[in-house]
């Protein structure tokens, strides 16, 4: 059994796909030289064992350490490394990765493996049930959060309440770096999305609701990986500003469906709004 | 009479990451006080991060300085792949 899994990995590592991938896994990476290689190894092994064609996209975000050199040096045949000249924020990195993806189903996952890739199948099951957007949630019942610091817990509780009252988004954890989309949903959402920093997640969920995409959450294990570069207090302030910005953008028609993000030029499924019949949010 | 073990074995399970590094080091240091060699069974480990790898390297060096070795026993697929990608497979004795 394990022999064949390892063989599947070796094949993936050395032989470029001949078919369109079923799955794409996008990893945004900003100065991740210390964390990203083990993450790539864990994701690649798990995904290869699923037996479907899949691709990995590492979207560098203007890293100033050796992230790009290290990842390029792996020489993995189905790893597409996108290099950015400058740091543009996690939202911009994920967006570039999504636009480059060609899988039928797209997951983005943080470079620190804080949500173990083993949970891919739990999210996929929801896509199979007919959802367009499935987010890993550290707050949903059943989620298992290891060593989340107190300030982070309070921070995320505050955000959760704010988000639910302001936006009525059916998700209790908007920020978890483990989200899955159908390709159509991903192209639609990321071609409309304009926030480049951490609240891009919230904007995506806001847009999913606005466009009537079926969205749900799945409880995930989340291990607070050391080395997070996020300053919780600073992020909280930015987040609230972004909440207001999203509202303002919406009122100003920024998300009107004929506005496309310039990065999406040339993206095939540029994204159409689902027909009225299935615009019922789950 | 003192019985001094020369090769010891420990088995790790689950995720071996920075959160576990300290307790791993304590246990290993305790064992290596009496033994030059150590086998670490990694069959049930699903992930090792860079901090965990650094702990393994440190333990390996310590064993070799004492004339022994650190042996990684039957690593799981993900651990094997992570060792390969970090090129540490060449540094360790892996069974
Ligand atoms: N901090 C930070 N992370 C970025 C940026 N661009 C992409 N990322 C990636 O976004 C993910 C989440 O970052 P991290 O610092 O771990 O945040 P946390 O997991 O929420 O604590 C990682 O994969 C980062 O490499 C950026 O500009 N800043």
């Amino acid at each position: 059994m394990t022999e064949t899994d390892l063989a599947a990995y070796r094949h993936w590592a050395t032989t470029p796909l001949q078919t369109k991938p079923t799955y794409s896994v996008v990893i945004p990476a900003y100065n991740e030289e210390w964390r990203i290689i083990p993450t790539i190894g864990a994701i690649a092994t798990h995904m290869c064992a699923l037996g479907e064609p899949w691709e990995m996209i590492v979207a560098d975000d203007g890293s100033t350490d050796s992230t790009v050199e290290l990842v390029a040096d792996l020489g993995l045949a189905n790893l597409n490394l996108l290099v950015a000249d400058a740091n543009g924020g996690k939202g911009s990195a994920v967006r570039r990765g999504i636009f480059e993806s060609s899988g039928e189903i797209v997951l983005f996952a943080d470079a620190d493996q804080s949500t173990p890739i083993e949970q891919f199948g739990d999210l996929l099951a929801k896509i199979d049930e007919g959802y367009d957007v499935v987010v890993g949630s550290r707050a949903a019942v059943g989620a298992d959060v290891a060593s989340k610091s107190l300030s982070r817990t309070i921070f995320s509780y505050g955000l959760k309440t704010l988000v639910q009252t302001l936006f009525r988004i059916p998700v209790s954890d908007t920020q978890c770096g483990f989200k899955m989309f159908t390709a159509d949903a991903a192209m639609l959402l990321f071609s409309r999305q304009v926030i480049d920093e951490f609240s891009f997640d919230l904007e995506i969920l806001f847009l999913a609701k606005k466009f009537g995409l079926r969205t749900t959450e799945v409880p995930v294990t989340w291990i607070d990986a050391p080395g997070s570069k996020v300053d919780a207090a600073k992020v909280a302030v930015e987040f609230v500003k972004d909440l207001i910005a999203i509202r303002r953008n919406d009122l100003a028609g920024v998300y009107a469906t004929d506005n496309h993000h310039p990065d999406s030029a040339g993206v095939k499924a540029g994204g159409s709004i689902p027909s009225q019949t299935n615009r019922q949010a789950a | 009479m003192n019985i001094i073990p020369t090769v010891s074995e420990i088995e790790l399970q689950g995720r071996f990451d920075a959160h576990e590094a300290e307790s791993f080091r304590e246990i290993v240091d305790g064992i290596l006080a009496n033994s030059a060699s150590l086998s670490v069974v990694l069959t049930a480990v699903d992930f090792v991060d860079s901090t965990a790898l650094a702990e393994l390297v440190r333990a390996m060096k310590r064993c070799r300085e004492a004339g022994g070795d650190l042996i990684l026993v039957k690593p799981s697929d993900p651990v094997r792949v992570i060792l390969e990608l970090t090129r540490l497979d060449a540094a360790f004795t892996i069974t």
Side-chain angles (χ1 to χ4, degrees):
Chain A
M1 170 84 185
T2 181
E3 282 298 305
T4 55
D5 288 353
L6 213 48
Y9 163 75
R10 298 213 189 287
H11 185 78
W12 179 88
T14 52
T15 318
L17 285 183
Q18 302 298 320
T19 52
K20 194 169 120 65
T22 308
Y23 309 130
S24 300
V25 178
V26 172
I27 308 174
Y30 177 58
N31 291 349
E32 293 287 359
E33 64 182 8
W34 180 248
R35 305 195 295 184
I36 200 168
I37 305 297
T39 299
I40 290 175
I43 291 180
T45 318
H46 184 79
M47 294 304 296
C48 288
L50 298 180
E52 291 284 334
W54 75 284
E55 63 178 353
M56 181 183 289
I57 295 166
V58 173
D60 158 59
D61 193 15
S63 296
T64 51
D65 69 356
S66 61
T67 300
V68 167
E69 292 76 11
L70 278 178
V71 173
D73 185 57
L74 298 177
L76 294 173
N78 294 294
L79 187 163
N80 186 357
L81 171 63
L82 310 176
V83 181
D85 296 335
N87 179 239
K90 180 177 176 184
S92 73
V94 172
R95 182 165 56 231
R96 277 183 294 109
I98 298 266
F99 287 150
E100 201 60 34
S101 72
S102 48
E104 290 163 28
I105 291 159
V106 188
L107 173 81
F108 77 75
D110 283 352
D112 57 7
Q113 174 69 350
S114 49
T115 296
I117 189 65
E118 282 75 12
Q119 316 217 349
F120 185 88
D122 297 342
L123 273 71
L124 185 63
K126 291 290 177 187
I127 298 275
D128 290 343
E129 277 176 33
Y131 288 97
D132 306 298
V133 179
V134 186
V135 311
S137 172
R138 301 162 290 188
V141 180
D144 176 7
V145 178
S147 59
K148 197 173 181 180
S149 68
L150 184 63
S151 65
R152 269 175 177 254
T153 310
I154 296 169
F155 167 56
S156 52
Y157 178 78
L159 291 186
K160 190 171 114 184
T161 320
L162 202 62
V163 167
Q164 282 175 347
T165 18
L166 273 180
F167 286 162
R168 311 209 176 288
I169 289 173
V171 166
S172 43
D173 177 11
T174 57
Q175 300 311 102
C176 181
F178 203 76
K179 293 188 169 67
M180 188 180 279
F181 307 85
T182 61
D184 286 348
M187 298 308 162
L188 168 64
L189 294 172
F190 283 89
S191 61
R192 301 309 191 281
Q193 175 258 351
V194 295
I195 293 182
D196 287 341
E197 292 78 30
F198 274 85
S199 339
F200 82 96
D201 289 88
L202 175 66
E203 189 186 32
I204 287 293
L205 294 173
F206 171 80
L207 291 175
K209 184 168 160 60
K210 181 177 167 69
F211 297 153
L213 296 174
R214 280 156 297 178
T215 304
T216 190
E217 64 183 342
V218 169
V220 292
T221 303
W222 186 74
I223 296 110
D224 196 4
S228 166
K229 291 172 239 58
V230 179
D231 172 347
K234 222 173 92 190
V235 170
V237 174
E238 290 305 316
F239 193 88
V240 174
K241 284 191 196 157
D242 284 339
L243 279 175
I244 297 163
I246 292 172
R247 273 252 176 265
R248 201 177 45 221
N249 285 345
D250 192 34
L251 292 172
V254 170
Y255 304 127
T257 53
D258 45 355
N259 277 339
H260 288 243
H261 193 281
D263 282 1
S264 73
V267 170
K268 49 274 164 188
S272 58
I273 310 292
S275 66
Q276 285 296 339
T277 46
N278 60 13
R279 289 193 64 178
Q280 197 54 48
Chain B
M1 183 186 81
N2 282 335
I3 299 179
I4 299 169
T6 49
V7 182
S8 306
E9 184 173 282
I10 56 173
E11 182 174 349
L12 308 182
Q13 290 179 352
R15 179 177 167 121
F16 182 17
D17 64 12
H19 296 296
E20 314 295 337
E22 203 181 309
S23 54
F24 174 82
R25 182 186 285 216
E26 271 170 27
I27 290 168
V28 165
D29 283 354
I31 296 171
L32 294 184
N34 296 312
S35 166
S37 288
L38 176 63
S39 293
V40 184
V41 183
L42 294 171
T43 315
V45 173
D46 44 37
F47 183 64
V48 285
D49 72 359
S50 296
T51 307
L53 292 171
E55 282 304 317
L56 291 171
V57 169
R58 178 185 165 276
M60 182 249 288
K61 283 196 175 143
R62 205 178 144 176
C63 289
R64 290 190 182 163
E65 276 162 22
D69 199 2
L70 181 91
I71 296 145
L72 303 183
V73 181
K74 296 195 176 59
S76 65
D77 287 347
V79 173
R80 194 173 283 275
V81 169
I82 291 166
L83 288 166
E84 285 176 17
L85 292 179
T86 52
R87 310 270 151 89
L88 285 171
D89 57 332
F92 284 107
T93 306
I94 304 174
T95 63

